[in-house]
Amino acid sequence: SVFSDVVVDLRASRDGKLMFALMSSGRLYMSSVNKPANEWVRVRGGKPARSIALSPKGDLVAVAREGGTIEVSRVAEPKQIRLTIEADGDIRHIAFTDDGYLLGVSSGGDSVGLYQVLNGKKIVDVDVDGKQPLAFFFSKHNSLIGYVIEDREVFVMNADGSDQTEITHNGAANFGPYWHPSGTKIIFASNMDDPTGRDFELYMVNEDGSGLERITYSDGFDGFPVFSPDGRYLVWGSNRDQAEEGETNVFIAEWVESP
């Protein structure tokens, strides 16, 4: 699918049937993987947006707006906002915990705030030791959190903030980490192989930082990787095949593990 607007975040439902794309303008689009490539439906507008999250069950979608507001809706009725959460500071990233009961929020400080999805109340801040997480995701059973800090390196820590481990050491711009369903690997985007810093590709690494592997080989931008829950498919955004400069395409591919 092709967008003339700038894609800031992309998510796929756990059953692999639905995809959501969030634009910098604040527009939210939804599509089914079974529909033709250009058949995306605009389901909501609003203030400029930063991040989107889908609940593990695929029943809720959350959109983070500039100014600290998070809008939570049912996927079945994406135009109807059922809950509004007022977070502290200017939101950078949001993500549901693996059980779907909590929503993690990064607001530019040195912690990840956890909010109850039922009523929007904050219950705890997970300290990230002054590293200012830009993006993060919870692993299976909420045991680990993968996140990117201000200087764009990827870290992993326990859900209580302990045992923080840096798993990239390339000095490049790394972003958009996402756990493989196995819970042992992380896929992310990086410009580590381009001296000009313009070419972003997808890479996969083990949770301890070993086994770095490059996944995509295409000039331009590849980012926002998301796995289907069974690990059979990978969805990501790319500028490949663009008809005009700035257009972003959404791709889905079958994931095949190398022997």
Side-chain angles (χ1 to χ4, degrees), residues 21-68:
L22 183 64
M23 309 295 130
S24 60
S25 63
R27 298 187 184 98
L28 177 66
Y29 290 85
M30 181 174 68
S31 180
S32 168
V33 296
N34 296 321
K35 289 186 177 182
N38 292 314
E39 204 168 317
W40 285 77
V41 178
R42 176 181 170 181
V43 295
R44 197 188 310 165
K47 293 182 179 180
R50 294 294 182 85
S51 181
I52 184 176
L54 282 177
S55 63
K57 292 181 180 180
D59 58 336
L60 298 177
V61 56
V63 176
R65 305 282 183 185
E66 286 188 0

Side-chain angles (χ1 to χ4, degrees), residues 22 44-52 62-72 81 83-94 103 105-107 115:
L22 183 64
R44 197 188 310 165
K47 293 182 179 180
R50 294 294 182 85
S51 181
I52 184 176
V63 176
R65 305 282 183 185
E66 286 188 0
T69 299
I70 302 171
E71 302 166 351
V72 182
I81 300 173
L83 176 67
T84 299
I85 299 174
E86 297 297 336
D88 301 326
D90 195 12
I91 300 170
R92 296 187 175 187
H93 187 80
I94 58 175
L103 186 69
V105 179
S106 169
S107 302
Y115 293 77

Side-chain angles (χ1 to χ4, degrees), residues 53-57 60 62 70 72 83 85 94-105 112-126 136-138 141-142 145 159:
L54 282 177
S55 63
K57 292 181 180 180
L60 298 177
I70 302 171
V72 182
L83 176 67
I85 299 174
I94 58 175
F96 283 94
T97 53
D98 186 63
D99 55 21
Y101 294 130
L102 302 175
L103 186 69
V105 179
V112 174
L114 296 181
Y115 293 77
Q116 291 180 328
V117 177
L118 181 64
N119 54 27
K121 292 182 179 180
K122 181 192 280 190
I123 60 170
V124 70
D125 282 314
V126 179
F136 61 92
F137 290 94
F138 297 91
H141 312 301
N142 306 323
I145 301 176

Side-chain angles (χ1 to χ4, degrees), residues 6-259:
V6 177
V7 177
V8 296
D9 214 347
L10 177 68
R11 293 288 172 264
S13 61
R14 280 203 166 188
D15 60 11
K17 295 181 180 179
L18 293 176
M19 293 185 291
F20 287 85
L22 183 64
M23 309 295 130
S24 60
S25 63
R27 298 187 184 98
L28 177 66
Y29 290 85
M30 181 174 68
S31 180
S32 168
V33 296
N34 296 321
K35 289 186 177 182
N38 292 314
E39 204 168 317
W40 285 77
V41 178
R42 176 181 170 181
V43 295
R44 197 188 310 165
K47 293 182 179 180
R50 294 294 182 85
S51 181
I52 184 176
L54 282 177
S55 63
K57 292 181 180 180
D59 58 336
L60 298 177
V61 56
V63 176
R65 305 282 183 185
E66 286 188 0
T69 299
I70 302 171
E71 302 166 351
V72 182
S73 303
R74 298 188 186 279
V75 169
E77 299 176 314
K79 295 183 179 180
Q80 303 297 321
I81 300 173
R82 64 177 294 271
L83 176 67
T84 299
I85 299 174
E86 297 297 336
D88 301 326
D90 195 12
I91 300 170
R92 296 187 175 187
H93 187 80
I94 58 175
F96 283 94
T97 53
D98 186 63
D99 55 21
Y101 294 130
L102 302 175
L103 186 69
V105 179
S106 169
S107 302
D110 56 357
S111 64
V112 174
L114 296 181
Y115 293 77
Q116 291 180 328
V117 177
L118 181 64
N119 54 27
K121 292 182 179 180
K122 181 192 280 190
I123 60 170
V124 70
D125 282 314
V126 179
D127 186 17
V128 192
D129 194 23
K131 293 187 174 66
Q132 297 190 0
L134 301 180
F136 61 92
F137 290 94
F138 297 91
S139 68
K140 275 188 174 182
H141 312 301
N142 306 323
S143 58
L144 296 171
I145 301 176
Y147 62 99
V148 176
I149 64 172
E150 192 72 39
D151 65 1
R152 305 291 179 173
E153 298 292 357
V154 181
F155 280 70
V156 172
M157 67 178 177
N158 293 329
D160 62 2
S162 63
D163 294 335
Q164 297 180 25
T165 304
E166 184 175 349
I167 63 172
T168 61
H169 309 271
N170 53 47
N174 309 289
F175 77 99
Y178 198 87
W179 288 97
H180 183 270
S182 66
T184 62
K185 298 181 179 181
I186 295 175
I187 192 169
F188 63 99
S190 177
N191 61 356
M192 69 175 79
D193 287 330
D194 182 14
T196 70
R198 297 178 180 178
D199 185 12
F200 282 83
E201 303 293 343
L202 300 183
Y203 298 81
M204 178 164 278
V205 65
N206 295 326
E207 64 179 50
D208 62 359
S210 65
L212 179 67
E213 180 183 5
R214 183 169 170 174
I215 304 301
T216 58
Y217 292 83
S218 176
D219 292 338
F221 173 82
D222 289 281
F224 310 116
V226 181
F227 278 106
S228 62
D230 58 6
R232 292 181 58 194
Y233 298 99
L234 175 68
V235 178
W236 77 101
S238 176
N239 292 145
R240 66 181 74 188
D241 297 341
Q242 57 183 340
E244 298 179 4
E245 186 176 357
E247 285 184 344
T248 302
N249 303 322
V250 178
F251 288 83
I252 182 170
E254 188 174 3
W255 182 262
V256 180
E257 295 284 352
S258 57

